[in-house]
Amino acid sequence: MPQNQNKKKKDPLAKSAAFFGERILMLLALCVMAWYYGGERAIRVILSGTGTAVLCDLAGGLMFYNRVTLRDLCAVFTGLAISLMMPAGVPYYVPAVASAFAIIAVKLPFGGALKYPAVPAAAGFAFATVCFPKLIFDYNPAFSSASGQLVSGNSLASMLQNSSSVHIDLISGFDILTGSVSGPMGTGCIIVLLGCCVFLLIRSPRAFVSTAGFLLACAVMALLFPRVNTGRAASLITELGAGSLLFAAVFFVNDPAVMPKTPLRRFAFGAFAGVICMAARYFGVYEESVCFAVVLADVSLPVFESAAKGIDSRLKRRKGAA
Amino acid sequence: MENKKPSFGEYLMKGAVVRNPVLIQLAGICTVAAVSSSLYSGLFFSAVFTAVTLLNCLFASLFLKKVQRPVRVIFYLFVSLAVICPLMYLFEVKGTGLGETVRLYLPLLAVNSVTAVHCEQFAVKHPPLDSVKDAISVSIGYSAVMIALSLVREVLGRGELAGRKLPGNFALPGLLMPFGSFVILGFFAVGLKWYISRYQPEMYEETAVNIKTARLNFREKEESGEAPETEASPEEQAAFLFGNEAEDELFTEFWVENPLNSENIVENIAALTQKNEQFGNEAQERMNELLGRLDRNLDFDKKDDK
C-alpha cells in the first residue's frame, strides 16, 4: 500500500489534475457571475475559448506525445480563464485564437501541464491583446451599472489610464464589489474573487504567499503613486478592483510551475510581479497590462532565483564571518 | 583507400537540412526574425545573403588559405561590404519600397555569423568548387527558412500574400512582432528535427547541440551538491559559438589559442596527436608551437617554485 501511495504522489498528471481541478471549481463561480451579467452570449464565449483549448490540447497531445488525454485539466482551466478575462460582446474567434495560442505555443512545446515557462492563459490573453486590442477592450453596455452611466469604453481600467477623476461616490462601491461595472465578464466581481482568495488561503496557504506579495506590492504602488486625483483611498480601491488584477493574483501568480520554492522567495517574487504589473499599468499602452506583467515575471523567474541564491549565500557568509 | 568526394546532393542535405544555419545552428536568427515580415523583403534578403556567402566562400577558398585567421575575418567584412554598399546606395537614391527594416538590417549582413562560420569551417580548408557547393547549400537552407517564415508571417499576420489582400480579412498582427517570428521558427525547428529523425536517422546525432549536455551536467552537479563548474570549458564555448563542427574543426584552433598552463598544453598535444592524420602538416606546426609554449611555461613554473 505505501508503495502505491508513493506512486500516486509522483504521477504528474494527477498532481496537475488536483491543482487545476480546484482552480476550475473557483472559475465556475465566476462563470455563474458572467452568465448572470452577460446572459447566454457569455456562456457561448466561454464555450468557444474552452472548447478550442481542449481541442488543441487533444490534437497537440496526439501529435507531440502520441497520447490523447485531458486528465491534467490544464486546457480546461486555460480556456475558462482566457474567456473570463474578455468582454461578453467579443467575437467568438477571439477567445478561440487566444486559447489556441496558449495551448499550442506555450503549453505543449515545453512538456505539458506545470512545465511551461509562463502561465499559458496569461500568454494567450496577452497575444490576443496584441492582435485584437479594440475588440478585447470594447466593453458591452450590457455591463453598465444600474444608473446606466457607464457605457462602452468606460471601464475602471480605461478611466484610470486616462487619469480621470474617479471617485467612489461617482461609481457605487457596491457595483465595484459585485462586478456591475464595465469590464471583463468574469474578472470584475470582487466579492467572488475575495471568496476565491479565502478558498486559496485555506486549501493551499503556501501558494497564497505569492498572491499576498503581489497584492501588497500593487496596493503600496497604488497608494504611493495614485493615478486619480480624488485621493489615495480611491486610488487603492479602483486599482485593485479594475481590470483583471485580482483575477491574475488568484489564478496566475501562484502557479507552481513558475513560482520559487521557499515562502520568502515566493513572497518576494509575488511582490516583484506586482511592481511589474503596476509599472505596466502606468507606462503601458493598453488599459489592462496585468497579463503582460505576469508573463514577464514568469520568464524572469530563473534570473530572480539566481539573484535570490546569490543574496542567500552572501548573507550566510556574513553570518559565518560574524 | 580512395576518398570519395561527396556529391552536391550530399552537400545540400548536410548544409541545408541537417546543419541548417538558422534552425539547427541558430546563427543569424535575430536578423531573420526582424526582416521576415513580408515575402518581398524575405526574398530580397535571401538573394543578398546568397551573394555575400557565395563570394566570401569563393574568395576564402581561393586566396585566404595561408592568411592568419584574424586577418581573414577582416577580408570577409570587405567582401561583404563590396556587395552591400552598392545596394545601400541604391536604397538611398531610388528607394525600393521594402520598408525601413530591410534598410536597417542590410548592413548587418556584412558581419553575418553564418557566412563567417562557413568560411572558417569549410572554405579555407577545401578547394573552390567544394566551397561553392557548400555556400550554395547553406544559402538554400537559409533562404528556404527566410522565405517560408516571411510567407507565414505575411499570410497570418497581415492577411496578405505578396502585398495582395487575401479573402476573409483575418489577421493576427501579433505574429508580425519579433516574438511571433521566434514562435514560428520554433515550430519550423521542431518540424525539421522530426523530418531528420524520421527520414535521416543516421544524421540525427549531428543536429544535437552540445551545450545542452553541458547544462545538464551542470544541473546534475548542482543537485548532487557538488560544486558546479562556473565557466564552460573551451569545447563547450566553441560548440556554443560555432555549432557541432566546432568540435571537429575549429576546436583545435580555439583551444590552442588559449593555453593557460602546462597541463592544458599537454592535453592539447595529446588531442592533436590523435588528429595528426586528419590535419597533416597543420597539426604538426601547431604541435611544435605548443611544445615551444610548454617549454616557456615550464620555465615559469620553475620560477614560481623557487
Side-chain angles (χ1 to χ4, degrees), chain B residues 56 59 63-64 67-81:
Chain B
N56 262 317
F59 193 77
F63 306 115
L64 300 182
V67 181
Q68 286 282 319
R69 192 177 167 199
V71 184
R72 287 200 299 258
V73 176
I74 297 169
F75 273 106
Y76 303 148
L77 182 68
F78 281 125
V79 173
S80 306
L81 285 174

Side-chain angles (χ1 to χ4, degrees), chain A:
Chain A
M1 276 297 283
Q3 280 181 353
N4 287 339
Q5 280 176 353
N6 284 336
K7 273 181 186 176
K8 272 182 187 175
K9 276 181 187 174
K10 282 176 186 173
D11 184 8
L13 279 180
K15 190 183 165 190
S16 65
F19 172 77
F20 287 115
E22 281 182 1
R23 268 146 186 78
I24 288 168
L25 268 180
M26 290 193 263
L27 286 177
L28 285 178
L30 291 167
C31 286
V32 172
M33 293 309 293
W35 169 75
Y36 177 74
Y37 287 118
E40 262 182 48
R41 184 165 170 82
I43 298 298
R44 270 185 252 140
V45 169
I46 290 169
L47 284 177
S48 161
T50 314
T52 309
V54 167
L55 283 177
C56 288
D57 198 30
L58 289 174
L62 194 65
M63 201 182 287
F64 285 126
Y65 308 111
N66 209 16
R67 63 174 163 75
V68 179
T69 178
L70 281 176
R71 261 183 66 205
D72 60 21
L73 295 177
C74 179
V76 181
F77 168 79
T78 304
L80 280 175
I82 286 174
S83 310
L84 287 171
M85 281 190 287
M86 293 192 177
V90 76
Y92 297 123
Y93 66 84
V94 177
V97 166
S99 300
F101 181 84
I103 299 296
I104 294 170
V106 186
K107 187 205 160 191
L108 289 172
F110 297 97
L114 300 182
K115 287 176 185 170
Y116 33 73
V119 179
F125 185 78
F127 180 73
T129 306
V130 171
C131 291
F132 317 105
K134 284 181 183 172
L135 299 174
I136 292 278
F137 300 120
D138 182 16
Y139 298 113
N140 197 305
F143 286 89
S144 60
S145 65
S147 59
Q149 286 175 339
L150 293 172
V151 288
S152 176
N154 280 345
S155 66
L156 278 178
S158 79
M159 282 198 272
L160 283 168
Q161 196 190 24
N162 297 328
S163 301
S164 306
S165 299
V166 184
H167 198 275
I168 303 303
D169 293 338
L170 185 72
I171 305 164
S172 161
F174 185 75
D175 282 352
I176 295 176
L177 274 177
T178 53
S180 184
V181 290
S182 284
M185 62 182 181
T187 66
C189 189
I190 307 297
I191 287 182
V192 179
L193 282 169
L194 288 176
C196 293
C197 272
V198 174
F199 181 78
L200 189 70
L201 181 63
I202 294 165
R203 290 290 297 168
S204 49
R206 284 184 177 184
F208 186 77
V209 173
S210 194
T211 301
F214 180 82
L215 288 175
L216 192 68
C218 290
V220 170
M221 292 277 283
L223 285 172
L224 289 178
F225 311 106
R227 284 194 288 172
V228 294
N229 50 12
T230 47
R232 292 180 194 275
S235 168
L236 178 67
I237 292 170
T238 46
E239 287 284 5
L240 293 185
S244 307
L245 192 140
L246 202 52
F247 183 83
V250 176
F251 293 103
F252 297 161
V253 178
N254 51 38
D255 194 305
V258 279
M259 199 167 51
K261 285 176 185 171
T262 61
L264 189 64
R265 282 185 202 170
R266 281 182 182 184
F267 185 82
F269 181 70
F272 170 67
V275 170
I276 296 178
C277 172
M278 293 306 282
R281 277 189 161 190
Y282 288 133
F283 304 112
V285 290
Y286 303 113
E287 65 177 64
E288 183 51 273
S289 311
V290 67
C291 284
F292 293 98
V294 169
V295 172
L296 196 60
D298 288 349
V299 295
S300 56
L301 179 64
V303 182
F304 180 87
E305 282 274 48
S306 64
K309 275 181 190 173
I311 293 167
D312 270 2
S313 60
R314 275 183 201 171
L315 287 175
K316 277 177 189 172
R317 269 184 221 157
R318 278 188 190 174
K319 275 185 186 175

Side-chain angles (χ1 to χ4, degrees), chain B residues 58-106:
Chain B
L58 191 62
F59 193 77
S61 179
L62 283 171
F63 306 115
L64 300 182
K65 279 181 180 169
K66 299 285 179 189
V67 181
Q68 286 282 319
R69 192 177 167 199
V71 184
R72 287 200 299 258
V73 176
I74 297 169
F75 273 106
Y76 303 148
L77 182 68
F78 281 125
V79 173
S80 306
L81 285 174
V83 178
I84 289 164
C85 282
L87 286 172
M88 289 299 291
Y89 177 73
L90 279 176
F91 260 111
E92 291 292 335
V93 174
K94 295 200 169 179
T96 58
L98 287 172
E100 250 338 92
T101 337
V102 173
R103 210 169 77 168
L104 200 67
Y105 281 92
L106 191 60

Side-chain angles (χ1 to χ4, degrees), chain B residues 98-141:
Chain B
L98 287 172
E100 250 338 92
T101 337
V102 173
R103 210 169 77 168
L104 200 67
Y105 281 92
L106 191 60
L108 273 183
L109 269 187
V111 287
N112 194 354
S113 54
V114 183
T115 309
V117 165
H118 273 271
C119 287
E120 284 297 305
Q121 283 181 345
F122 196 87
V124 290
K125 291 166 188 167
H126 291 86
L129 189 63
D130 292 345
S131 302
V132 168
K133 285 178 186 172
D134 179 64
I136 290 173
S137 63
V138 170
S139 301
I140 288 174

